[in-house]
Amino acid sequence: MHPIQTALYARVSSEPRAEAHTIASQVAALHERITLDGLVVPASMEFLDEGYSGATLVRPALERLRDAAAAGGMDRLYVHSPDRLARKYAYQVLLVEELGHYGVEVVFLNRELGRSPEDDLLLQVQGMMAEYERAKIIERHRRGKLHAARVGSVNVLSGAPYGYRYVTKHEGGGQARYDLIPDEARVVRQVFEWMVRERLSIGEVCRRLMRAGARTRTGRTVWERSVVWAMLTNPAYMGSAAFGKTRQGPLRPKLRAQRHRPLQPRRARSDYDVPPTEWLPIAVPAIVDPEVFAAVQEQLQENRRHARQSQRGARYLLQGLLQCQHCGYAFYGKPLSPSARKGRPRAYAYYRCLGTDAYRFGGQRLCPNTQVRTDRLELAVWQEVCALLAHPERLAQEFTRRRLADGHGQRQERTTLERQVSKLRQGLARLIDSYAEGLIEKQEFEPRVTRLRQRITHVEAQCHQLAEAETLQRELQLIIGRVEEFAAQVQQDLEALEWHRKREILRILVRRVEIGLDQVQIVFRVDAFAGETDPEKKSLQLCKRSTLPAVGKRGTGRDGKVVRRRIRRWTTKTTGQKQRHQ
């Protein structure tokens, strides 16, 4: 008899006050029910989403669960309640139907599923009530905080900026408040005084604070420009803290994930700035006079008008695509200083790793990587992209390699699934014969037949998917011959492309550019075929020979790695000169 493959799913959001259950209590209750049913769930089949909202389907554990169900890796899924699966009724229906399509039996601890039309109706009602309850909680929370802000309650701020200490309502006898921190308040007054009397820039203010040994809220002696700017623009220092300066909206698209962070955050939302006219003022103790605060705002506007760098937005072709192989930080563009230029104009800048900036990490650099000239690196990457488009046979070779690698495995898997369908149909026939002969009761027969038919449907769907994948590969094999025609049309316009069009093509074709200590590696975007789950398989790394010419030299490198090492070597000398000039 085929053993029942069991899995469980549990979820809690990051709002403990709104959740009555924790991950531990849910998992314990699920394990107890699984044990009573005489089953065992392996650790690899426990899907836990801790800190993710049920209002979205983009959850890491839920994604892995759906992939496992699609692959036929489970027969029964245990969930504490429907609202743990999703907070929206439409999402609940979608997930239950999807799992049922793959032959997975969903078991909720608080109710039965699919036994009668009344059970289905109860699921719908519970899903709508969960969605309504969540919307009601959010709306009550929003209106409560809005009302508290309008009456001037500090409770809604929930935190205090540099110079203040936030006293909670429990510590303050039912009412939160701001208390001044004398040492930090003295630093704030000094910063505002410098801006008003000496008309300094934010950069000069940071340098003075570091020379004076002033410490930030986290105890660092390194002051960032963004921290000082936030201090100078915060109306709380003149006695009027603002509520509602930002609002949440749809998640902004990201070019790549931040260092050591997933591409999909826990909360699929982004913060958007709100115009100052819509802020709600809340009275707090003042550190500077309103006249001084207004004068500083005028000085900031004046500094903005006379800023040395008037260009804003994207300035570098590879901006956002560069990543350090050594420390994982991003590379950023840095123009040459006047002393490094020696009074002569330079048409290039440098890409520099964030980990090499000692001032960002308490005076000690984290990365030994060197900086790279922008013009040479951009030219090398662009020529590699042009080589990819100019030689469509590379795409054809990649397609052929994957087709040959996956074709045998897909045919073998399809044969195995067809045999499995035949065995399942034989088992169904024997089960029907046993019921007809009175060997099993109806109560035992109906659920077993239902599960067996669902299993057959699931396996047949897998066979159909593999057949479609084989058909798609045959069609792609016919289409791949037209890539040369497409590349020829694009190649005619590559030489005359504008800067922003080049940047768009780079972001479409290139996933990232990894800069190592002695080489530069370009990772292209290549869509994976069905069945591939590793995102790194989308990288075009099979081309051992490259037609990329040596940047700044005559000749052609025979090997791609050799060419990339030359890129690093040509920039080292100039990098060393720049560091000595600084």
Side-chain angles (χ1 to χ4, degrees), residues 341-362:
R341 294 197 305 264
K342 295 184 178 180
R344 295 176 295 177
R346 301 289 178 89
Y348 61 87
Y350 283 92
Y351 287 118
R352 181 180 176 90
C353 177
L354 285 171
T356 61
D357 292 338
Y359 72 90
R360 300 178 185 269
F361 307 100

Side-chain angles (χ1 to χ4, degrees), residues 382-554:
W382 178 248
Q383 288 182 346
E384 187 73 9
V385 171
C386 292
L388 178 65
L389 294 176
H391 297 278
E393 64 273 9
R394 297 169 63 182
L395 294 177
Q397 292 172 2
E398 173 71 3
F399 167 76
T400 304
R401 182 188 68 84
R402 293 188 177 186
R403 182 174 59 85
L404 293 177
D406 300 335
H408 179 70
Q410 289 181 353
R411 287 193 297 270
Q412 197 173 32
E413 183 179 0
R414 184 179 177 185
T415 302
T416 302
L417 291 176
E418 289 176 350
R419 293 175 180 174
Q420 188 175 357
V421 169
S422 178
K423 292 182 180 179
L424 290 174
R425 290 191 179 279
Q426 292 176 5
L428 179 62
R430 287 195 296 267
L431 185 63
I432 295 176
D433 293 340
S434 299
Y435 176 70
E437 295 175 2
L439 299 178
I440 59 176
E441 299 295 333
K442 181 178 180 181
Q443 293 80 3
E444 184 182 1
F445 170 74
E446 289 181 350
R448 293 178 63 180
V449 166
T450 301
R451 289 195 298 269
L452 200 55
R453 286 176 175 172
Q454 290 177 348
R455 184 67 178 172
I456 293 174
T457 303
H458 170 57
V459 177
E460 288 180 343
Q462 285 185 306
C463 292
H464 182 65
Q465 290 178 357
L466 291 176
E468 288 183 347
E470 293 178 2
T471 304
L472 178 61
Q473 287 187 354
R474 289 193 296 268
E475 294 177 354
L476 288 176
Q477 191 173 6
L478 300 176
I479 297 174
I480 199 67
R482 304 188 60 183
V483 174
E484 296 183 2
E485 180 182 352
F486 166 75
Q489 296 176 356
V490 177
Q491 186 68 20
Q492 297 176 357
D493 300 330
L494 286 179
E495 301 298 334
L497 279 180
E498 298 179 355
W499 184 87
H500 69 279
R501 294 294 297 172
K502 288 185 178 180
R503 189 165 181 265
E504 290 179 1
I505 292 179
L506 284 171
R507 294 194 168 208
I508 292 174
L509 296 180
V510 178
R511 177 179 295 276
R512 63 184 178 274
V513 179
E514 299 176 352
I515 302 180
L517 298 177
D518 58 352
Q519 67 178 357
V520 176
Q521 182 179 3
I522 305 173
V523 182
F524 288 95
R525 297 178 184 268
V526 177
D527 291 338
F529 291 101
E532 284 192 354
T533 58
D534 187 359
E536 292 302 322
K537 292 183 180 179
K538 298 182 179 181
S539 307
L540 187 61
Q541 299 293 342
L542 58 96
C543 300
K544 299 299 183 181
R545 303 176 65 87
S546 175
T547 57
L548 174 62
V551 182
K553 301 283 186 178
R554 294 185 179 181

Side-chain angles (χ1 to χ4, degrees), residues 43-160:
S44 60
M45 299 301 290
E46 294 184 2
F47 302 94
L48 310 180
D49 273 325
E50 189 169 6
Y52 286 88
S53 173
T56 176
L57 291 177
V58 185
R59 290 172 252 157
L62 183 61
E63 290 291 305
R64 290 188 286 108
L65 184 150
R66 297 171 72 180
D67 293 339
M74 68 180 69
D75 298 321
R76 185 179 298 178
L77 175 66
Y78 287 85
V79 188
H80 188 273
S81 58
D83 64 333
R84 298 300 90 199
L85 196 60
R87 276 287 190 176
K88 291 187 177 181
Y89 166 67
Y91 290 166
Q92 292 181 7
V93 174
L94 184 147
L95 292 174
V96 171
E97 289 184 353
E98 177 182 323
L99 295 173
H101 173 72
Y102 293 129
V104 180
E105 179 186 1
V106 182
V107 177
F108 296 113
L109 300 192
N110 61 343
R111 60 178 301 276
E112 296 290 338
L113 177 64
R115 299 296 182 182
S116 65
E118 290 76 11
D119 292 336
D120 296 334
L121 177 61
L122 180 59
L123 174 63
Q124 298 175 11
V125 172
Q126 286 184 343
M128 288 185 291
M129 290 302 297
E131 184 176 357
Y132 167 72
E133 179 185 6
R134 180 180 182 275
K136 184 172 63 174
I137 292 174
I138 293 176
E139 180 63 17
R140 286 180 176 176
H141 185 69
R142 185 191 68 84
R143 289 183 60 85
K145 294 189 69 174
L146 188 62
H147 173 73
R150 287 173 177 170
V151 299
S153 176
V154 184
N155 297 359
V156 298
L157 298 177
S158 70

Side-chain angles (χ1 to χ4, degrees), residues 170-370:
H170 301 289
E171 298 174 350
Q175 182 64 37
R177 67 176 186 273
Y178 277 6
D179 284 348
L180 292 178
I181 302 177
D183 293 339
E184 294 183 359
R186 183 169 57 254
V187 174
V188 173
R189 295 190 187 96
Q190 183 64 67
V191 170
F192 276 86
E193 183 178 354
W194 283 339
M195 291 294 297
V196 172
R197 294 187 177 181
E198 303 184 37
R199 304 170 66 86
L200 300 180
S201 65
I202 293 181
E204 179 60 26
V205 171
C206 292
R207 288 187 285 271
R208 289 194 178 187
L209 289 174
M210 288 186 285
R211 286 196 297 265
R215 295 189 175 273
T216 64
R217 175 61 59 84
T218 58
R220 297 178 58 196
T221 58
V222 179
W223 288 78
E224 301 284 351
R225 287 175 171 82
S226 59
V227 175
V228 177
W229 179 86
M231 178 190 299
L232 295 173
T233 57
N234 195 338
Y237 294 114
M238 67 173 180
S240 179
F243 173 79
K245 292 189 290 185
T246 60
R247 65 165 54 100
Q248 293 181 337
L251 181 66
R252 294 188 182 94
K254 293 184 177 180
L255 186 62
R256 59 178 179 82
Q258 294 182 354
R259 180 173 178 264
H260 301 325
R261 292 185 180 181
L263 182 61
Q264 178 62 35
R266 292 183 180 272
R267 296 286 179 176
R269 298 187 294 269
S270 295
D271 292 333
Y272 294 84
D273 292 333
V274 174
T277 54
E278 300 181 15
W279 297 354
L280 296 178
I282 299 176
V284 296
I287 295 180
V288 299
D289 296 332
E291 295 78 8
V292 175
F293 186 84
V296 169
Q297 306 313 304
E298 294 179 0
Q299 182 60 39
L300 291 177
Q301 293 292 336
E302 186 71 16
N303 291 349
R304 188 177 293 110
R305 285 193 296 268
H306 295 285
R308 296 176 181 176
Q309 294 292 342
S310 59
Q311 186 178 0
R312 294 293 184 267
R315 299 176 56 188
Y316 303 99
L317 196 63
L318 301 178
Q319 182 175 341
L321 294 175
L322 301 180
Q323 182 177 348
C324 180
Q325 283 185 341
H326 182 76
C327 66
Y329 278 105
F331 271 67
Y332 68 95
K334 183 177 181 180
L336 274 71
S337 62
S339 60
R341 294 197 305 264
K342 295 184 178 180
R344 295 176 295 177
R346 301 289 178 89
Y348 61 87
Y350 283 92
Y351 287 118
R352 181 180 176 90
C353 177
L354 285 171
T356 61
D357 292 338
Y359 72 90
R360 300 178 185 269
F361 307 100
Q364 183 178 3
R365 60 186 293 170
L366 302 180
C367 182
N369 214 338
T370 55

